[in-house]
Amino acid sequence: SYMYSIFHLDISLLSVMENDVLLLDTLNYVLDNSETKILSDEDVIFAVKLLMGLKGCYEENYNMFDNNTTAYLLLCGLLSAVGKLLAVTHEGSKLRVQVSELGLVKFVLEMLANSSQMNVKEFGHVTDLIVIIANSSHHCREIQDEVRSLGGLPLIMNRCRIDDNNPYIKEWSILALRNLLEDNLENQQFVESLKAQKVEDN
């Protein structure tokens, strides 16, 4: 695994190293500027496991992820890398289901719901959360259904607006909704029911 060879993160000891942040910056640059698939499915799984390794720390202490702390920068780097990795790998449901079984979708939706509780001045990572949902749900019925069952559709719909702190979040949210609704009647009906309820409330 390419990613395993360059990262030396010891999550069990909560050893978050600045060097890993620099490596993630490099990886994100490569992904942004590569037209070919350079990483394997195993790299995607490894990146997700690294991200999930920060899960307990994030849940127990939001203050560790204050703006510009090493932990926050690492979290943002991993979110960005995972979203891009899901985009450049093949669309087979097998990989997407593996990612879901690791708890990624649930964690991302929890972060999306709780993002206002994080003590950061800028929430640039929220766009990366939406990117992960958009790319992981593309042509994957299992993740489409999981997002609905976890209450994620309203969270995505609420982000379909311009947010100066989260560049392109409106565009990514619209894409995420398209992927979540594609060939999924249950999701389509759920969204329509929310729209109807909003009209009644007004």
Side-chain angles (χ1 to χ4, degrees):
S1 169
Y2 173 75
M3 287 194 68
Y4 184 79
S5 67
I6 65 172
F7 286 102
H8 52 277
L9 213 71
D10 188 349
I11 294 296
S12 63
L13 298 177
L14 297 180
S15 176
V16 183
M17 305 177 185
E18 292 184 5
N19 189 43
D20 292 318
V21 175
L22 297 176
L23 288 170
L24 275 171
D25 286 343
T26 301
L27 174 62
N28 278 308
Y29 176 83
V30 171
L31 290 170
D32 283 337
N33 293 277
S34 175
E35 297 181 357
T36 59
K37 176 181 174 181
I38 60 170
L39 301 175
S40 67
D41 290 355
E42 288 74 20
D43 290 312
V44 179
I45 298 300
F46 180 70
V48 171
K49 287 181 176 178
L50 285 179
L51 181 57
M52 296 307 293
L54 287 175
K55 179 176 183 291
C57 189
Y58 166 83
E59 292 174 339
E60 291 176 6
N61 189 355
Y62 289 117
N63 292 329
M64 273 196 66
F65 296 88
D66 284 356
N67 200 30
N68 291 328
T69 63
T70 302
Y72 175 72
L73 294 175
L74 184 63
L75 175 65
C76 291
L78 280 170
L79 288 172
S80 180
V82 168
K84 292 168 186 172
L85 285 166
L86 288 169
V88 300
T89 53
H90 63 76
E91 298 176 356
S93 290
K94 183 178 179 181
L95 173 64
R96 307 289 169 85
V97 171
Q98 283 181 287
V99 165
S100 176
E101 290 174 346
L102 290 172
L104 177 65
V105 174
K106 182 179 180 182
F107 180 41
V108 166
L109 291 177
E110 288 174 351
M111 285 190 66
L112 193 58
N114 297 325
S115 60
S116 61
Q117 298 180 35
M118 291 184 69
N119 186 25
V120 291
K121 296 180 181 179
E122 296 182 355
F123 303 106
H125 71 280
V126 180
T127 299
D128 292 324
L129 297 173
I130 301 293
V131 170
I132 290 175
I133 296 298
N135 290 337
S136 64
S137 62
H138 190 218
H139 293 166
C140 182
R141 180 58 184 252
E142 291 85 354
I143 290 184
Q144 289 177 335
D145 291 342
E146 182 181 12
V147 171
R148 183 186 71 252
S149 66
L150 293 174
L153 288 173
L155 293 176
I156 304 297
M157 294 174 68
N158 288 337
R159 295 292 178 171
C160 292
R161 62 181 188 274
I162 295 175
D163 180 352
D164 292 337
N165 289 327
N166 291 283
Y168 303 110
I169 193 168
K170 178 181 178 180
E171 292 80 2
W172 274 107
S173 296
I174 292 172
L175 178 61
L177 272 179
R178 185 190 76 83
N179 291 345
L180 289 164
L181 300 184
E182 186 176 22
D183 298 324
N184 192 311
L185 181 60
E186 289 85 352
N187 282 2
Q188 294 169 16
Q189 291 175 336
F190 185 90
V191 169
E192 286 302 318
S193 69
L194 289 179
K195 290 180 180 178
Q197 182 178 352
K198 185 176 181 179
V199 171
E200 291 178 1
D201 291 343
N202 291 337

